[in-house]
Amino acid sequence: DTGVSQDPRHKITKRGQNVTFRCDPISEHNRLYWYRQTLGQGPEFLTYFQNEAQLEKSRLLSDRFSAERPKGSFSTLEIQRTEQGDSAMYLCASSSRAGGQNEQFFGPGTRLTVL
Amino acid sequence: AQTVTQSQPEMSVQEAETVTLSCTYDTSESNYYLFWYKQPPSRQMILVIRQEAYKQQNATENRFSVNFQKAAKSFSLKISDSQLGDTAMYFCASSSNFGNEKLTFGTGTRLTIIP
């Protein structure tokens, strides 16, 4: 399967704990995005990488959130000191600028539940 | 900044019938893309159809077509000959044609196809 993969698919944690999610984009896609989707809402942009450079962070991304893409391939999203309000689906997407296309391919998401 | 509005939280239609999902948007960009994404239950989001704002011709993809009214900032999705597999959440989204090209989503329409 050459699609976007995310790990884990589900994560249950207690308030105050740290969690880390991983995203593996489609091979050779140089753009990688993180979105957050809460129940009944559309996904909201969190942050974006072009290769290994993090080029934009949403104001939704508090200081407790950090994302990396160390070698321009996979990416991690870490949430420190989790709060109940962090409970959501975290979606990763990747895209390539080849041919001027603008389609983002999404992974299955990581569903986070903070107790 | 871009905003996307979907005013139909839920819709249902009989199998084989035609259904139209509504979307309005607002943007200050001179060039942008509009999308419809489909999110089936417990499955990942996939692109249904894409429209480039500078193209006047409405996009079509098999049973899916759009009605793009640029002056009215309206972008509706028509599904013809609806099938049970069309049951899903449908999200309208927009992005600019430059920069990070992040997607701005509406709140979605839950479409149910009734056998």
Side-chain angles (χ1 to χ4, degrees), chain A residues 4 9 31 33 35 37 40-45 48 50 56 91 95 97 100-109, chain B residues 33 35 37 39 42-47 50 52 89 91 95-108:
Chain A
V4 179
R9 295 290 303 276
R31 296 183 171 209
Y33 303 81
Y35 295 86
Q37 184 177 18
Q41 300 295 317
E44 295 175 295
F45 170 78
Y48 150 72
Q50 181 157 312
E56 183 172 341
L91 298 171
S95 73
R97 282 285 283 175
Q101 294 180 24
N102 202 30
E103 179 178 355
Q104 293 185 22
F105 294 83
F106 282 82
Chain B
Y33 289 90
F35 306 84
Y37 276 87
Q39 190 175 39
S42 302
R43 295 181 60 187
Q44 61 206 76
M45 196 167 315
I46 57 174
L47 179 67
R50 170 178 53 207
E52 297 170 76
M89 282 290 292
F91 292 98
S95 77
S96 68
N97 193 32
F98 63 93
N100 65 22
E101 299 175 350
K102 65 185 179 185
L103 292 167
T104 300
F105 287 89
T107 51

Side-chain angles (χ1 to χ4, degrees), chain B residues 4-24:
Chain B
V4 177
T5 302
Q6 294 179 252
S7 58
Q8 303 156 312
E10 295 189 24
M11 295 187 71
S12 61
V13 66
Q14 294 284 341
E15 190 177 6
E17 291 187 348
T18 295
V19 61
T20 299
L21 308 183
S22 301
C23 172
T24 58

Side-chain angles (χ1 to χ4, degrees), chain B residues 67-95:
Chain B
N67 184 4
F68 175 45
Q69 301 290 325
K70 191 171 184 178
K73 295 185 177 177
S74 171
F75 183 62
S76 61
L77 174 69
K78 185 172 81 172
I79 306 174
S80 304
D81 185 28
S82 55
Q83 301 175 359
L84 297 179
D86 296 332
T87 293
M89 282 290 292
Y90 286 81
F91 292 98
C92 180
S94 68
S95 77

Side-chain angles (χ1 to χ4, degrees), chain A residues 5 7 12 17 23-24 26 32 37 58 60 66-67 72-74 76 78-79 90 93 98 108:
Chain A
S5 61
D7 183 71
I12 300 174
Q17 298 294 307
C23 170
D24 286 88
I26 292 173
L32 187 147
Q37 184 177 18
S58 163
L60 293 174
S66 62
S73 56
F74 72 92
T76 59
E78 180 183 17
I79 309 175
Y90 290 83

